[in-house]
Amino acid sequence: MPKIVDHGARRAELARAMWRVVYRDGVGAATVRSIAAEAGWSPSALRHYFATQTELLVFAMEHVQAEAAERIAADDRTGGPREVAQRILEQLLPLDRQRVREAEVWLLLAARAQTDPAARTRMADADDGIRRAAEFAVALLTGQPAADPEAVARLHALLDGLALHALLYPERMPPARARELLGAHLDTLVAS
Amino acid sequence: MPKIVDHGARRAELARAMWRVVYRDGVGAATVRSIAAEAGWSPSALRHYFATQTELLVFAMEHVQAEAAERIAADDRTGGPREVAQRILEQLLPLDRQRVREAEVWLLLAARAQTDPAARTRMADADDGIRRAAEFAVALLTGQPAADPEAVARLHALLDGLALHALLYPERMPPARARELLGAHLDTLVAS
DNA sequence: GGCCCGTGCCCAAGATCGTCGACCACGGCG
DNA sequence: CGCCGTGGTCGACGATCTTGGGCACGGGCC
C-alpha cells in the first residue's frame, strides 16, 4: 500500500480550508471548487476524503461543535448559578462574526436536512448537544438534580429561535439584545 | 398592445402550480423546470412573470402568509384570553402536513436570505407579522394595552424555535408537544 | 381590410454547480 | 525488479438558474 496518507489529518486540513473560505467570503462561497482551490488541491482530490459536499460540511460542523463543547467545559463556573448558566448558553449563540459564519453553515445544513439524510443525522446530533446544555442550565438554576423536561424544551426552543433571529435579522437582534433576552428567560427559571 | 395577459392572475396561477409541486413532492422538487411543467409552460415563460426563482418563492410565501393572517383574523375570539392566544399563535406553527411543507419553503428562503436580498426583505416582512401576533398575545394575556417588548421578543423567539424543531425533528417535536410547550410558555405570561 | 410592432413565448446556449469515470504516477510489497 | 493499489488530475456529465435571440400572434392605426 503506497503513498500512505493520514486520512484524518487530511480531512481536518480540508475542513480548515473550508472554514477559511467561509469566514472570508461567506457560506455562499463554500463550493467544492473554491474549497479545493483554497486547500491547493483539485476538486476531484476532495472526493478521496469526502464522498459528497454534505459530508465535508458535516465534518466541519462536528469540529466547531467540539470546540463549543470545549469552551463550555473550560468554563471555570465562577459566580452564581445565574451567571454560569448565562455564560454557558451564550457559547451557543452567534454573538460574534466568527460564530455568525458558523451559524450560517448550520442554517445551510438545516435547509439541506430536508432532503439529505447525512445532514439530518448531523443536525439531530447537534440538537442533542444544545438540549444537554439547556438541561444543565435548568438544573443549575432550579437547584433540582433532574431538570423539568418542559422547561428544558422551552429554553431549547428559545435558544434556537434567538440564534435564528440573530442570524437573519442582526439589526433587530444584535448580540446585546440576544444576551438580554436569554437573561430574562433565565430569570424566570430561577424565580420558579 | 396585443395578447394582453393579466400578470397578476398569471403570477397567482404559477404560484398555485408551485404549491402543488411542493405539497406533492416536497420543497426539493420546486425547481423552475418542474414548476413550469406543472403549470404547462416552458421554463422561459416564467421569466415574464418572475425574473428569478427567488421572486417566485417570495410571491408564493406572501400568499400563504396572507392566508395565515386571514385565519387569525377569522378567529371568533371565543373563550378566555389563554385559549384565544393559543389558537392564534398555533396558526403560525407547522402543525399539519400542509403547513410543514410551507415551513420547508420558509426555511429554504431563510437559508437563501444569507445571499439573496429579495429573500432577505421577504423574511423581514414575515418576521413583522409574527412579531405582531406575539404582541397581540402578550397584551391579551397580561391585560396591558402596551405589551412588554421583552416578553414579546421572547415569545417570538420561542415560536420560531418551536417551528424549527417541529420541522427538523418531527419525531422529537410532534404537533402535540409543540402545542403543549407553547401553552406552558403562555401560562408563565398570564401568571406574571 | 391590411400592415406594424410590441407582447408572449420557446429554443438553445451560457455559467456554475456537484458528482463521476477514465487515466496517470508513485511507491511499498512480494 | 515487477505488480497493483492508493493518490491525484483531467475532463465530462447532468442538473440547475439564467439569459439572449428569434418566432408568432394579434390589437391598434391608417
Side-chain angles (χ1 to χ4, degrees):
Chain A
M1 322 303 171
K3 251 325 192 27
I4 33 173
V5 171
D6 185 337
H7 271 234
R10 182 62 57 86
R11 285 161 68 95
E13 176 189 339
L14 292 172
R16 281 195 302 272
M18 183 195 112
W19 283 119
R20 283 199 302 274
V21 171
V22 170
Y23 291 151
R24 188 194 333 125
D25 304 323
V27 68
T31 75
V32 170
R33 284 167 173 78
S34 69
I35 295 169
E38 173 72 24
W41 300 92
S42 80
S44 309
L46 269 65
R47 286 201 85 249
H48 282 273
Y49 309 100
F50 298 102
T52 73
Q53 186 191 29
T54 301
E55 276 188 20
L56 171 55
L57 290 168
V58 162
F59 181 83
M61 276 306 282
E62 281 171 1
H63 184 64
V64 302
Q65 185 187 357
E67 278 187 343
E70 199 168 335
R71 283 199 305 269
I72 290 177
D75 189 282
D76 56 8
R77 263 71 169 175
T78 57
R82 173 70 173 62
E83 285 75 24
V84 174
Q86 174 116 18
R87 272 207 314 273
I88 285 181
L89 295 181
E90 279 183 5
Q91 298 300 325
L92 303 173
L93 293 179
L95 298 179
D96 53 35
R97 179 186 153 85
Q98 178 168 334
R99 274 178 291 171
V100 165
R101 295 297 201 189
E102 293 166 4
E104 288 175 4
V105 176
W106 168 77
L107 186 56
L108 173 64
L109 273 181
R112 198 168 284 210
Q114 305 289 337
T115 57
D116 194 316
R120 200 168 186 79
T121 61
R122 185 68 202 81
M123 292 298 292
D125 190 69
D127 190 66
D128 281 337
I130 301 175
R131 202 199 63 244
R132 277 193 298 272
E135 268 175 2
F136 176 81
V138 169
L140 187 65
L141 290 173
T142 60
Q144 309 281 343
D148 172 26
E150 201 166 68
V152 170
R154 283 203 291 136
L155 175 58
H156 186 179
L158 182 94
L159 273 172
D160 281 350
L162 286 178
L164 191 64
H165 288 178
L167 194 59
L168 292 177
Y169 325 108
E171 61 290 339
R172 298 178 182 183
M173 184 65 72
R177 181 154 177 75
R179 279 201 194 90
E180 176 188 328
L181 292 170
L182 173 61
H185 190 85
L186 296 184
D187 285 337
T188 67
L189 288 175
V190 73
S192 68
Chain B
M1 323 305 171
K3 251 319 195 30
I4 32 171
V5 170
D6 184 335
H7 271 235
R10 182 61 60 86
R11 284 162 69 96
E13 175 190 340
L14 291 172
R16 281 195 302 271
M18 182 195 112
W19 283 118
R20 282 198 303 274
V21 171
V22 170
Y23 291 150
R24 187 193 336 125
D25 305 324
V27 68
T31 76
V32 171
R33 283 166 177 74
S34 68
I35 296 169
E38 173 72 26
W41 300 91
S42 83
S44 308
L46 269 67
R47 285 202 88 254
H48 282 270
Y49 308 101
F50 299 103
T52 74
Q53 187 190 30
T54 301
E55 275 188 22
L56 171 55
L57 290 168
V58 162
F59 181 82
M61 276 306 282
E62 282 171 1
H63 184 64
V64 302
Q65 184 187 357
E67 278 186 345
E70 198 168 337
R71 284 198 305 268
I72 290 177
D75 188 281
D76 56 8
R77 263 72 168 172
T78 56
R82 172 71 173 62
E83 285 74 25
V84 173
Q86 174 116 17
R87 272 207 313 272
I88 285 180
L89 294 181
E90 278 183 7
Q91 300 299 325
L92 302 174
L93 293 178
L95 298 179
D96 54 34
R97 179 187 155 85
Q98 178 167 335
R99 274 177 293 171
V100 165
R101 295 298 200 189
E102 293 166 4
E104 288 176 4
V105 176
W106 168 77
L107 185 57
L108 174 64
L109 272 181
R112 198 168 285 212
Q114 304 290 334
T115 57
D116 193 317
R120 200 167 186 80
T121 60
R122 186 67 203 79
M123 291 298 292
D125 190 68
D127 190 65
D128 282 337
I130 301 176
R131 202 197 64 244
R132 279 194 296 273
E135 269 175 1
F136 176 80
V138 169
L140 188 65
L141 290 173
T142 59
Q144 308 280 343
D148 172 26
E150 203 166 65
V152 170
R154 282 203 293 134
L155 175 57
H156 186 178
L158 182 94
L159 274 172
D160 281 351
L162 286 177
L164 191 64
H165 288 178
L167 194 58
L168 292 176
Y169 324 109
E171 61 289 341
R172 299 178 181 182
M173 185 65 72
R177 181 155 177 75
R179 278 201 193 90
E180 177 188 327
L181 292 170
L182 173 60
H185 191 84
L186 296 184
D187 285 338
T188 69
L189 288 175
V190 74
S192 69

